Amino acid sequence: MNRVPESPELESLLEYIKRNRGFDFSGYKRTSLSRRVRKRMQLVNVDNYSEYLDYLEVHPDEFVELFNTILINVTTFFREPAAWEYIVSEIIPQIINNRQFNKPIRVWSAGCASGEETYSLAILLAEALGMEEYSRSVKVFATDVDMDALNYARYANYTSKEVNNISPELLDKYFERTNNRYSVQKELRRGVIFGRHDLVQDAPISRIDLIVCRNTLMYFNSETQSKILDRFHFALNNGGYLFLGKAEMLFSRNHLFSLLDLHHRVFTKVPSQNFRQMLMGMGFSHKQQMLPQAVDRNRVHEAIFEIDPVAQIVVDINSTVLLVNSQARKMFNINPKDIGRPLQDLEISYRPVELRSRLDQVYNNRRNISLKDIEWSNSERETYFLDIEVMPLINNSTNELLGAKIIFSNVTRFKQLQQDLVNTNQELETAYEELQSTNEELETTNEELQSTVEELETTNEELQSTNEELETMNEELQSSNDELQTMNEEMHQSSDELNRVNSFLESILTSLRSGVVVVNRELHILIWNYKAEDMWGLRFDEVFSQHFMSLDIGLPIEQLRQPLRAVLSGETENYELTLNARNRLGRTIKCEIILNPLNNSTSNMQGVILLMEER
């Protein structure tokens, strides 16, 4: 599928960077790339990509700052220790035992940044082999596109904070301390070869036993990830290992690697001939032209899951998050780095509904669980209704339980339509009753007028003029009656609209986490929401129309007199302060208060809005 550019201006900027500095960012995810570029644009006070391109032409030094912003060099020694322990206990011994006699051990640290993980790898190999054997038989290739980061890594000199994760024993053994900085020992350093390398454009390093590429693939789009994984597959020896970061999974090209440990993101190369045999076993011809069909099928399945409009999350039997599609990430604000974390560490495990016990029930019973009409509010205070289904994932051939799939169906629109239908029926019933009442009144009026006409018709000719005047009055009355009926209908419509607005306002005030108090210019209380009642122990009917400064609550109200005056006088548009207070339970709290002016449609000051929140 062709990638749709975020904007032509951004694509023009990327093409300019590639043409002038040789950095090709076309394979990077547009959301993160745009966010990083815009961050740099804000620092130089530029509003759009076209202006920033002009700025780069005038200020060539800006390229360095831009690349440092885009190429996020976040790394530490032995990042995620449990994963490195797995490498020490399982992977490095296998590499040592499987190497051929007199063949060197070749390791590739791809996207090495400032070198911390590269030297972590070198230390573990030196520990496993001994320094003498390490110096003779180990080559660690460390590559990155950021020359500044590579120069820092070559220097191999780190602060005390940067080596904080290294145990004292290893620190004493492999580092030399000079002026409160730590330099990597020369023997260890000589086994590491640094070089600039673009994972997308440059040819891969060959005959590698282990590739360490942690939290680098996640910055590229799926098409570029596939290209990089193809290069990694070519680079590795048969049986070689690929070590990724906890936020990364092989969503694409996964036929090239088999999973060794999901939790620690360790994979092993699938030899090319095994893959061809696998295709033949599935009924495919081994002809060259059939291979792309199998590849496309995998990518189609991935694309279907990713773009599915229904939010979905897949976990394994340990409730570790494996997959989260685009709709779920957007709806529940799930970061790609959360993939691989236990579900219980994420907010989604208990909000909008408690999922952990449901997952245990699904694992035990191997049956679906459906939850209907779950109310949930997102970070923008928007309320939704969800149907949630938790279903087991079972291997059909072995009946093995693999994990569970959680589906969140948004039924908010259906609920709204139901409520709108109920409201419409109620309004129709009310209108029908009012119409019936009006008809009865008209019939009564008509009967009374008819009686008057009959009495007038019995009057003699001397009263004819009076009769004509009464007829004229009758017509005026009819006109007035029509006007009154029209006004009555308009009043009912206004009343219904007012009730809906009041109901909507009440629901907003009830949903706010902050206490809301609204006072008029004379500081008499107009609004006092439920959260304010909960904080200070006074109900709305107890404080309505009361002078705010006369309240006897745990808040030092006298300290608000001057801020209230400042907002009412227009000296400031808002005022923020934090006061020591005592809530209705007698507990001492920090109360953060924000004062904003209450203006009408013509910007005339009507009062003050106070937002109170416990900190």
Side-chain angles (χ1 to χ4, degrees):
M1 181 182 296
N2 293 331
R3 176 182 51 78
V4 178
E6 181 196 64
S7 74
E9 290 184 348
L10 175 59
E11 300 306 316
S12 298
L13 175 63
L14 299 181
E15 181 61 29
Y16 174 79
I17 294 173
K18 178 181 178 180
R19 188 170 59 252
N20 285 270
R21 293 303 170 105
F23 276 88
D24 185 4
F25 293 112
S26 60
Y28 282 61
K29 292 179 180 177
R30 287 303 181 267
T31 52
S32 59
L33 183 61
S34 175
R35 188 167 56 249
R36 304 303 298 173
V37 174
R38 286 189 177 278
K39 178 180 180 181
R40 190 61 208 164
M41 288 165 56
Q42 290 176 355
L43 293 176
V44 296
N45 295 320
V46 173
D47 295 329
N48 57 61
Y49 297 121
S50 296
E51 293 180 7
Y52 190 58
L53 192 153
D54 295 338
Y55 185 88
L56 286 172
E57 291 178 339
V58 178
H59 303 86
D61 293 342
E62 173 64 17
F63 279 103
V64 176
E65 300 298 333
L66 175 61
F67 295 154
N68 288 338
T69 302
I70 295 177
L71 304 173
I72 306 172
N73 297 317
V74 178
T75 183
T76 59
F77 285 97
F78 300 106
R79 178 169 46 172
E80 300 160 25
W84 285 103
E85 290 175 5
Y86 179 81
I87 297 297
V88 170
S89 61
E90 300 294 334
I91 304 305
I92 290 180
Q94 290 290 335
I95 293 174
I96 295 174
N97 293 334
N98 294 336
R99 70 168 176 149
Q100 298 179 4
F101 181 72
N102 286 335
K103 289 288 185 180
I105 295 175
R106 294 164 62 87
V107 180
W108 182 9
S109 176
C112 67
S114 49
E116 285 90 330
E117 286 196 345
T118 301
Y119 291 119
S120 299
L121 189 59
I123 288 172
L124 297 181
L125 289 168
E127 283 289 289
L129 294 167
M131 183 57 73
E132 182 178 351
E133 181 64 19
Y134 165 85
S135 301
R136 183 170 58 248
S137 62
V138 172
K139 293 294 182 184
V140 180
F141 300 93
T143 65
D144 203 288
V145 295
D146 189 341
M147 287 303 300
D148 289 342
L150 284 173
N151 290 333
Y152 190 88
R154 288 190 182 102
Y155 187 51
N157 188 272
Y158 298 95
T159 66
S160 57
K161 182 180 180 180
E162 289 171 326
V163 300
N164 190 48
N165 287 349
I166 305 177
S167 68
E169 295 80 9
L170 295 178
L171 194 62
D172 291 340
K173 188 173 182 180
Y174 295 104
F175 288 82
E176 297 175 355
R177 182 173 180 177
T178 306
N179 296 328
N180 206 32
R181 293 184 68 90
Y182 293 84
S183 299
V184 178
Q185 284 188 351
K186 293 181 180 180
E187 293 83 359
L188 188 71
R189 170 66 184 83
R190 275 195 287 265
V192 182
I193 302 171
F194 288 98
R196 187 188 184 281
H197 183 276
D198 190 323
L199 293 177
V200 181
Q201 299 185 75
D202 297 335
I205 302 171
S206 61
R207 294 178 288 113
I208 299 298
D209 298 297
L210 169 64
I211 295 177
V212 178
C213 183
R214 312 195 67 213
N215 294 346
T216 299
L217 291 178
M218 65 183 184
Y219 294 106
F220 297 97
N221 58 38
S222 58
E223 181 181 353
T224 307
Q225 286 182 13
S226 297
K227 294 179 181 179
I228 296 173
L229 289 173
D230 284 337
R231 285 168 165 78
F232 285 169
H233 186 269
F234 176 83
L236 285 171
N237 294 323
N238 287 337
Y241 301 96
L242 174 62
F243 181 26
L244 300 180
K246 68 176 182 179
E248 297 166 318
M249 281 289 293
L250 296 185
F251 291 118
S252 59
R253 315 298 286 175
N254 53 7
H255 59 274
L256 300 177
F257 300 91
S258 62
L259 178 66
L260 281 184
D261 189 281
L262 176 63
H263 183 64
H264 298 121
R265 299 295 192 272
V266 179
F267 304 83
T268 186
K269 174 181 176 178
V270 174
S272 301
Q273 62 270 24
N274 289 350
F275 180 58
R276 288 195 294 270
Q277 293 171 2
M278 178 183 68
L279 290 177
M280 294 175 63
M282 294 171 60
F284 290 106
S285 170
H286 65 279
K287 294 180 180 180
Q288 185 71 22
Q289 60 267 28
M290 295 303 295
L291 181 58
Q293 294 183 3
V295 174
D296 289 342
R297 177 175 296 182
N298 288 330
R299 298 182 67 180
V300 166
H301 286 310
E302 297 163 6
I304 290 172
F305 177 83
E306 178 66 11
I307 68 174
D308 197 308
V310 179
Q312 301 179 51
I313 296 176
V314 177
V315 299
D316 63 11
I317 57 175
N318 298 316
S319 294
T320 299
V321 178
L322 299 182
L323 299 172
V324 183
N325 73 351
S326 175
Q327 185 65 19
R329 294 195 300 271
K330 177 181 178 182
M331 179 178 291
F332 301 111
N333 196 25
I334 297 177
N335 193 294
K337 294 183 179 180
D338 293 330
I339 295 175
R341 295 178 59 189
L343 183 68
Q344 66 183 22
D345 292 350
L346 307 182
E347 182 182 358
I348 190 67
S349 66
Y350 59 85
R351 183 175 179 269
V353 71
E354 205 284 324
L355 290 175
R356 290 166 290 187
S357 61
R358 269 82 175 194
L359 283 170
D360 292 338
Q361 186 176 350
V362 167
Y363 293 157
N364 293 331
N365 299 333
R366 296 196 175 193
R367 292 182 179 178
N368 295 4
I369 292 179
S370 297
L371 307 171
K372 301 293 185 181
D373 296 337
I374 303 301
E375 187 174 352
W376 171 69
S377 297
N378 62 12
S379 58
E380 284 77 26
R381 310 272 173 82
E382 297 172 338
T383 300
Y384 295 90
F385 290 89
L386 305 175
D387 285 352
I388 301 175
E389 186 168 9
V390 185
M391 58 180 62
L393 298 178
I394 300 174
N395 188 320
N396 291 332
S397 60
T398 63
N399 201 33
E400 177 187 4
L401 180 64
L402 303 178
K405 184 178 183 180
I406 309 167
I407 301 174
F408 303 85
S409 300
N410 189 344
V411 296
T412 306
R413 180 59 179 164
F414 176 75
K415 293 287 290 184
Q416 290 175 342
L417 290 174
Q418 279 187 324
Q419 187 60 46
D420 291 344
L421 182 59
V422 171
N423 294 338
T424 302
N425 288 335
Q426 291 176 350
E427 292 172 1
L428 288 173
E429 290 176 0
T430 302
Y432 179 75
E433 293 174 356
E434 293 172 352
L435 182 60
Q436 277 190 322
S437 175
T438 303
N439 286 335
E440 291 173 358
E441 293 174 359
L442 287 173
E443 289 177 1
T444 302
T445 303
N446 187 51
E447 291 174 358
E448 293 174 353
L449 289 172
Q450 186 65 36
S451 175
T452 303
V453 170
E454 291 175 356
E455 292 175 1
L456 290 172
E457 287 178 351
T458 61
T459 307
N460 57 35
E461 294 179 358
E462 294 177 358
L463 297 176
Q464 184 64 38
S465 61
T466 305
N467 184 46
E468 293 174 354
E469 292 176 0
L470 289 174
E471 286 290 344
T472 303
M473 291 174 63
N474 183 40
E475 293 178 359
E476 293 175 355
L477 285 171
Q478 187 66 42
S479 176
S480 298
N481 187 53
D482 292 341
E483 293 176 0
L484 288 172
Q485 185 175 352
T486 302
M487 292 174 61
N488 187 40
E489 292 175 354
E490 292 176 352
M491 288 179 64
H492 279 297
Q493 292 177 357
S494 299
S495 178
D496 291 340
E497 292 177 0
L498 181 60
N499 288 337
R500 286 195 293 271
V501 170
N502 286 337
S503 176
F504 182 66
L505 178 59
E506 184 177 353
S507 66
I508 291 175
L509 292 175
T510 302
S511 301
L512 288 173
R513 294 191 307 172
S514 302
V516 179
V517 178
V518 179
V519 297
N520 60 16
R521 292 187 62 86
E522 290 73 33
L523 301 185
H524 291 141
I525 296 173
L526 303 177
I527 292 177
W528 182 275
N529 76 337
Y530 175 78
K531 183 61 178 179
E533 294 181 8
D534 184 61
M535 290 178 69
W536 311 121
L538 293 178
R539 301 189 308 274
F540 173 69
D541 56 359
E542 293 176 320
V543 298
F544 179 67
S545 294
Q546 297 292 322
H547 198 282
F548 180 71
M549 301 305 297
S550 67
L551 294 182
D552 183 14
I553 56 178
L555 182 70
I557 291 179
E558 187 60 32
Q559 297 184 35
L560 293 174
R561 186 181 298 277
Q562 189 277 330
L564 284 168
R565 287 177 178 173
V567 174
L568 284 171
S569 64
E571 293 179 11
T572 178
E573 291 186 358
N574 57 66
Y575 201 107
E576 298 184 19
L577 69 163
T578 301
L579 300 177
N580 294 319
R582 192 176 299 276
N583 64 14
R584 67 181 179 85
L585 301 177
R587 185 166 58 86
T588 301
I589 63 172
K590 292 283 187 180
C591 184
E592 182 177 312
I593 303 173
I594 302 176
L595 291 80
N596 290 297
L598 175 65
N599 296 325
N600 61 13
S601 59
T602 59
S603 299
N604 291 328
M605 177 69 69
Q606 300 294 305
V608 180
I609 302 172
L610 296 91
L611 301 178
M612 308 174 182
E613 189 167 347
E614 179 179 340
R615 292 300 184 187

